[in-house]
Amino acid sequence: MPQAIAEHAALLQECAVIGLAVMAVCVAVIAIQKTINAHRMKSSSLLLLSALADNLRHQRIQSTIDVCKGYRDSHVAKVIVMGMLERQRCEMYGMPDATLTLAVGGAMDRSVALQVLEWKEHLGLVDAIGRTAPFVGVVAGNAAGVAAGTLLSLLTIWLGTFFKSRGDGLEVEMKGAAGEMKQFLSAHAKCQKCRAESRNLHYDTGYTCPRCCPKCQTA
């Protein structure tokens, strides 16, 4: 009986050591993946902003979408594409600019939420490893196992906090881009009659037509 207990204890210790190794590999893979993705998203978005300037200034919606699709790693591109596709849909149905702006804003907000959720993928596993690694180290039954579990826990908690903070930064960038797009669309709305741009569309409830500019109303 004592020999059987010793054998089971040794097996449990071996499993604990293997478990710590697997945990460390999982954390390393996730950390590398998140770091690469964050770098790609940042660099791609910086290139995108310079490529979009002319298309946005001239209201080239389809060209804007095509340019954004060329920057698949950019988190900002995904937000803009969602907004532009929603704008095309709204214009196809002849929606007033006020309604169009709200619809575009809602579409971009949904895109931001989806990308934030995608970024948080696997971070729950990192958090779980950080919480359980010390206990697995104790099961290893020696000082080296306890030290390894504690070190892995500290490193994992630090990485989890860092990537959560990085995700918050990406969310702020996406929301900032969405907000700028909303302001841009509002400022560059066009009159349905004369196609003139007006920064005062829909803000005066006295207008009988929600898509008419002051020039057409006073004519």
Side-chain angles (χ1 to χ4, degrees), residues 97-150:
D97 286 329
T99 305
L100 182 149
T101 302
L102 291 175
V104 170
M108 290 190 291
D109 290 341
R110 290 192 296 274
S111 177
V112 171
L114 288 174
Q115 291 189 73
V116 170
L117 185 62
E118 181 180 349
W119 175 262
K120 290 181 178 179
E121 187 179 9
H122 300 138
L123 291 183
L125 176 60
V126 171
D127 184 64
I129 291 174
R131 294 174 184 272
T132 57
F135 301 102
V136 178
V138 170
V139 175
N142 52 51
V146 173
T150 303

Side-chain angles (χ1 to χ4, degrees), residues 138-214:
V138 170
V139 175
N142 52 51
V146 173
T150 303
L151 181 61
L152 178 59
S153 176
L154 292 175
L155 179 61
T156 302
I157 291 173
W158 181 84
L159 285 173
T161 302
F162 172 77
F163 287 122
K164 287 178 182 176
S165 175
R166 189 70 187 93
D168 292 339
L170 293 173
E171 183 178 4
V172 169
E173 291 174 6
M174 289 186 289
K175 287 185 176 179
E180 290 180 4
M181 286 300 299
K182 292 176 190 176
Q183 293 180 356
F184 179 86
L185 293 176
S186 297
H188 293 80
K190 290 185 176 181
C191 173
Q192 191 178 30
K193 292 183 179 180
C194 68
R195 306 305 297 168
E197 293 185 358
S198 172
R199 295 180 181 271
N200 299 315
L201 288 174
H202 318 309
Y203 291 103
D204 189 338
T205 57
Y207 293 162
T208 57
C209 175
R211 293 184 64 91
C212 285
C213 66

Side-chain angles (χ1 to χ4, degrees), residues 65-80:
I65 295 173
D66 293 338
V67 170
C68 288
K69 287 182 178 180
Y71 295 84
R72 297 183 181 275
D73 293 327
S74 171
H75 53 303
V76 175
K78 295 177 182 178
V79 174
I80 295 176

